Amino acid sequence: MKSHSPTVVLSLVIGLVVLAPVAVLVSLASGAELDSSGQSWQLLFNTLAVTGLTVFGATLVGVPLAIATTHCDLPWRNFWLALLVAPLAIPSYIGGFTYFAAFGAGGELGEVFGFDLPEVRGLWGTALVMSLYTFPLILLTTRAALKQLDGSTVDAARSLGASSLFTLWHVVLPRVRSGVAAGALLTSLYAMSDFATPAILGLDTFTRVIYVEYNAFGLDRAALLSLQLLIVIGIVLWLESRVSTDREQAQRAFELPLSRPARWTALFVILAVLLAAIGMPILVFGIWLVREGGASVNPALVWNTTYPALIAAIATVVVGLPVAYAAARGGLGRWLERMVSVGYGIPGIVMGTALLYVGLRVDWFYQTLALLVVGHVLRFLPLAVGPLRNAIRQSDGNVIAAARGLGAGRFEAFRRVSFPMIFPAAVSGGALVFLEVMRELPLTLMLRPTGLETLTTELWQVYEAGYFGRAAVPGVLLIAISSVAVLLMLLGERRVQYGGAR
Amino acid sequence: MLAAPFGVAKASESPRPVDPISVDSLPKMKGELTLYLGRGEGGLYEQILDAIKQRNPALRLKIRRGPSTALANTIVAESRFGKPRADVFWAIDASSLGMVVGTTEPEVVSKDLTALLKPEYRYERWLPISGRIRTLVYNSQRLQRSSLPSDVMALAQTDHSFGWAPAYGAFQSFVTAMRLIEGEDRTGSWLESMRERSVDFAGELGVVMATSRAEVDVGFANHYYTLRLRQGKPESPIDLAFTANDAGCLLNTSGVAILKPSTLAEDFVRHLLTVEVQSYLAREAFELPLLDGVENPDGLPSLSELQPPRVDLEKLGDLKPTLSLLRRTGVL
């Protein structure tokens, strides 16, 4: 397999670039001293506990919804899917603050209903809220894996008399394990690097301490703590490496028929999840909008939010392709993939600072859109690589070999044969990056060109100042953009699939 | 809706003993100016900047927004690499300014600018713009103002429950001020005895909200969170109390540092110290004006009734010993 070696070399280079910020962290951390206190173990426990619970919660929601929106005969399937992915566009502090303000004694929701609701705080509250805003990661990676499943085995199981549920549990789920694991890894990296949700809901995690140091001008100590967090991330990456499945070639799609009650249950669950993740923030911020009025939003912000995210999404998929190819070969390639995952686990403020130091060395690069895009690529690379790697592993090598045998060059074989097979994965990976870039804040604030304002920076401004009424409109716009983007993604995916089948 | 900053204030509204200037007396600005703006205050600072831009069509104002600490770190990094970009840094707290001024040592501010401020707010290398004061916010259904001591240190001897935000910059500035006024030991034992009856929150708006929900009796917060919450929900059972001459009523300020001196940069800063901008900040953002002759925001006693302690605000940037103390006492 000598023909694949360029991808390994290329991804080695990409891996080293991703690690450049880590090198900056090492130099920033030199000479730092931490106050030794008994808190470190508590921090480690909290960080791991909230990560584990969030992965559990997000899987519990994400996997069934992935199956329901991929293989079940639900009405308006793509419409639900587009809305179900939208929580990824809601910034974490908005989600965290919504639940802080809505629940508990005297909460906004309690005032609407006329009685007090239990509070959503601490470890369980943080895990619950984080699950609500990360489950689409698992939904999309699982969906990409489901799309690749061979329907004939499913049909075989069903023709032998297996029920839908039995088929699901024994035939479908074992074979999408690596898709679920890819989403679970992303969820755990998110949970470890997020600052706002645990801070607002009162849970002490590594990232919160990093922010405290950073905000007290202890850049060296923030860097040192980030390096400690990297060790924890390394352990999680190692855990993920224990999960793998056999490759499989997609033949044809399949459907799991639902009984009437099952269909109603599925729709009910979808509605409940949407209400909790999207309806709740709209309701809470809507209450403030009515109470204290809003302000007009500059329509230019919509475009300013969309195009950098689009550029970053495309760039991330392009950079992610060689890494995914190398990873699909296993061995060193898989370790390179884990190496590029590190960026998603480093808190944004730390990654931003590291890239600021990199950018300042190159005058024409500093405070340009290019630097911002590079920052987002480095941070969100694993979002694109995971789905791509799975798709490549499962695409039919024989067809590609046949194309090459018939005289197609490496590029032509890729363009006409491989690419259509992995396109759905490229689209889901790109969509994940697009949504994450839209809601990303710390990196954007630090690296953007001076004067580039987005819906997310606008949301942050009004939120920080406590003018929640004015957060409602930008929040709804973010949800609208993400839903439209996901609908477009689904349309494009269908066209390529049907085009490829001809 | 917000009123335009320059449209409402009338020159004849209030007597002015120290001659605050009006925007009308300032020359028109032209050229390019890069402003690093710590936090946007949700459109309020925006309205001021828009009004300035409108009056000065030839001014090309480039604004970079971010948290004050992040921008301070950025400015320090830029100066380390010899690539300063910002002409002016407008920060929401004095500690970010103290940090920037201490590391990058900008030129001394010209006398005619500092002379606009009340004498106690005149610093060598930066200019305070507006004040925010530490307050005790209390639930008025749970207790009377008279049950709160006028000495912040005496709170440790009461049996109220408290809400505070130890990870929040404004709270850390308060503890730093207490350290400077009372010393490490007294501050440490105060924190220790307060800790058992205190609930942690992420920010001070959370503290104020929890106080209005009666989750705690008393909260530590900057004054404007209470005024803003009451503006939205006038029926909230919260009120403000002030201690006297101690860290409990520390007056911290937002302010500007001129990083690249020029006539344009000075003129821009002069705009922020006009009677129009100052009264707009007081009226709409509830900030305390630092010029003579501009009224305090509604809901606050006048500055002559308040007794903030004398503290060198630049020293509030020295947070490392504060964090150590907060950790040692188990507060953070």
Side-chain angles (χ1 to χ4, degrees), chain A residues 17 61 124 198 346 350 382 424 480 493 495:
Chain A
V17 173
V61 179
W124 295 96
I346 301 178
V350 178
E493 186 182 89
R495 264 184 64 186

Side-chain angles (χ1 to χ4, degrees), chain B residues 136-139 143 148 155 160-163 211 216-220:
Chain B
L136 302 175
V137 51
Y138 64 94
N139 186 300
L143 54 97
L148 289 168
L155 280 173
H160 302 306
S161 66
F162 299 95
T211 311
V216 294
D217 302 329
V218 184
F220 294 91

Side-chain angles (χ1 to χ4, degrees), chain B residues 236-304:
Chain B
S236 301
I238 44 173
D239 212 340
L240 287 177
F242 299 85
T243 59
N245 267 315
D246 58 34
C249 64
L250 170 73
L251 195 139
N252 201 341
T253 71
S254 76
V256 293
I258 299 176
L259 302 171
K260 288 190 206 163
S262 66
T263 324
L264 179 57
E266 286 192 3
D267 279 343
F268 177 79
V269 172
R270 204 167 274 123
H271 273 80
L272 304 182
L273 292 173
T274 55
V275 67
E276 289 89 349
V277 169
Q278 291 281 315
S279 43
Y280 181 79
L281 280 173
R283 202 173 53 235
E284 301 288 346
F286 304 110
E287 309 238 5
L288 295 166
L290 303 177
L291 311 179
D292 269 338
V294 183
E295 291 291 317
N296 261 3
D298 286 345
L300 267 194
S302 75
L303 213 46
S304 58

Side-chain angles (χ1 to χ4, degrees), chain A residues 230-417:
Chain A
L230 275 179
I231 298 171
V232 185
I233 292 169
I235 295 170
V236 172
L237 289 171
W238 176 79
L239 280 176
E240 189 262 348
S241 74
R242 307 280 92 193
V243 186
S244 65
T245 46
D246 293 329
R247 52 186 81 190
E248 168 164 357
Q249 273 114 44
Q251 306 286 330
R252 43 199 201 75
F254 64 94
E255 290 273 313
L256 290 171
L258 288 181
S259 64
R260 235 181 121 77
R263 190 176 306 154
W264 280 111
T265 313
L267 283 177
F268 176 77
V269 170
I270 288 175
L271 276 177
V273 169
L274 287 177
L275 209 63
I278 304 177
M280 194 73 87
I282 293 180
L283 175 72
V284 168
F285 286 92
I287 291 174
W288 264 298
L289 181 69
V290 172
R291 192 186 292 152
E292 48 186 52
S296 64
V297 172
N298 182 354
L301 294 183
V302 173
W303 173 239
N304 283 354
T305 309
T306 316
Y307 81 85
L310 199 62
I311 296 173
I314 293 169
T316 309
V317 169
V318 171
V319 175
L321 261 177
V323 183
Y325 267 101
R329 291 184 66 209
L332 176 64
R334 279 295 272 134
W335 284 105
L336 287 173
E337 184 194 350
R338 283 177 202 123
M339 205 158 114
V340 306
S341 301
V342 163
Y344 195 48
I346 301 178
I349 202 166
V350 178
M351 186 78 162
T353 306
L355 284 168
L356 184 81
Y357 278 80
V358 173
L360 273 167
R361 282 167 209 279
V362 193
D363 208 21
W364 51 265
F365 195 37
Y366 181 59
Q367 290 185 355
T368 60
L369 187 63
L371 180 61
L372 179 62
V373 168
V374 167
H376 282 141
V377 170
L378 295 189
R379 188 150 161 69
F380 299 129
L381 205 47
L383 295 173
V385 173
L388 279 172
R389 183 244 306 149
N390 275 334
I392 292 165
R393 268 166 55 96
Q394 288 170 340
S395 60
D396 190 345
N398 295 331
V399 184
I400 302 162
R404 294 296 303 275
L406 289 168
R410 186 196 290 272
F411 181 70
E412 192 187 358
F414 172 76
R415 186 174 60 84
R416 295 181 58 189
V417 183

Side-chain angles (χ1 to χ4, degrees), chain A residues 109-130:
Chain A
L109 211 57
E111 288 193 1
V112 173
F113 291 142
F115 56 88
D116 283 346
L117 293 154
E119 52 175 37
V120 177
R121 304 257 173 101
L123 177 63
W124 295 96
T126 307
L128 171 77
V129 173
M130 273 201 195

Side-chain angles (χ1 to χ4, degrees), chain B residues 29-41:
Chain B
M29 296 186 280
K30 48 175 176 279
E32 188 175 295
L33 187 82
T34 302
L35 170 69
Y36 279 20
L37 175 61
R39 198 164 83 172
E41 291 298 327

Side-chain angles (χ1 to χ4, degrees), chain A residues 28 33 35 37 39 97 99-108 111 119 121 199-202 204 208-209 212-217 219-221 225 288 291-292 294-296 349 353 356-357 359-364 366-367 444-453 460-468 470, chain B residues 1-2 34-44 46 62-74 76-78 80-81 83 85 93 95-97 99 166-168 172 199-202 205-207 209-210 213 215 225 228-229 231-233 235 284-286 317 319-320 323-325 327 330-332:
Chain A
L28 284 176
E33 276 175 43
D35 302 330
S37 61
Q39 287 186 323
F97 185 76
Y99 278 82
F100 174 83
F103 286 84
E108 297 291 346
E111 288 193 1
E119 52 175 37
R121 304 257 173 101
I200 293 171
L201 299 178
D204 232 353
R208 195 185 87 110
V209 182
V212 167
E213 288 296 348
Y214 177 88
N215 283 329
F217 311 114
L219 202 52
D220 51 344
R221 279 160 292 153
L225 282 162
W288 264 298
R291 192 186 292 152
E292 48 186 52
S296 64
I349 202 166
T353 306
L356 184 81
Y357 278 80
L360 273 167
R361 282 167 209 279
V362 193
D363 208 21
W364 51 265
Y366 181 59
Q367 290 185 355
T444 307
L445 287 178
M446 292 190 105
L447 300 181
R448 64 180 162 163
T450 295
L452 178 78
E453 299 293 339
W460 161 77
Q461 271 182 54
V462 294
Y463 168 80
E464 276 289 296
Y467 293 101
F468 302 124
R470 292 178 212 175
Chain B
M1 289 315 299
L2 297 169
T34 302
L35 170 69
Y36 279 20
L37 175 61
R39 198 164 83 172
E41 291 298 327
L44 289 173
E46 227 55 38
K62 292 170 72 182
I63 306 168
R64 187 170 187 84
R65 296 177 183 81
S68 287
T69 45
L71 287 176
N73 279 328
T74 303
V76 169
E78 284 177 357
R80 218 161 104 180
F81 282 85
K83 288 170 189 160
R85 293 284 172 103
D93 62 305
S95 59
S96 291
L97 284 159
M99 197 268 204
Y168 199 65
Q172 290 172 4
V199 184
D200 289 357
F201 294 89
L205 184 73
V207 170
M209 284 169 68
R213 295 166 169 196
E215 280 178 46
Y225 291 112
R228 280 181 205 169
L229 193 80
Q231 185 186 39
K233 281 167 96 171
E235 72 282 7
E284 301 288 346
F286 304 110
L319 285 168
K320 203 171 166 178
L323 289 196
S324 299
L325 191 61
R327 291 226 175 79
V331 172
L332 191 65

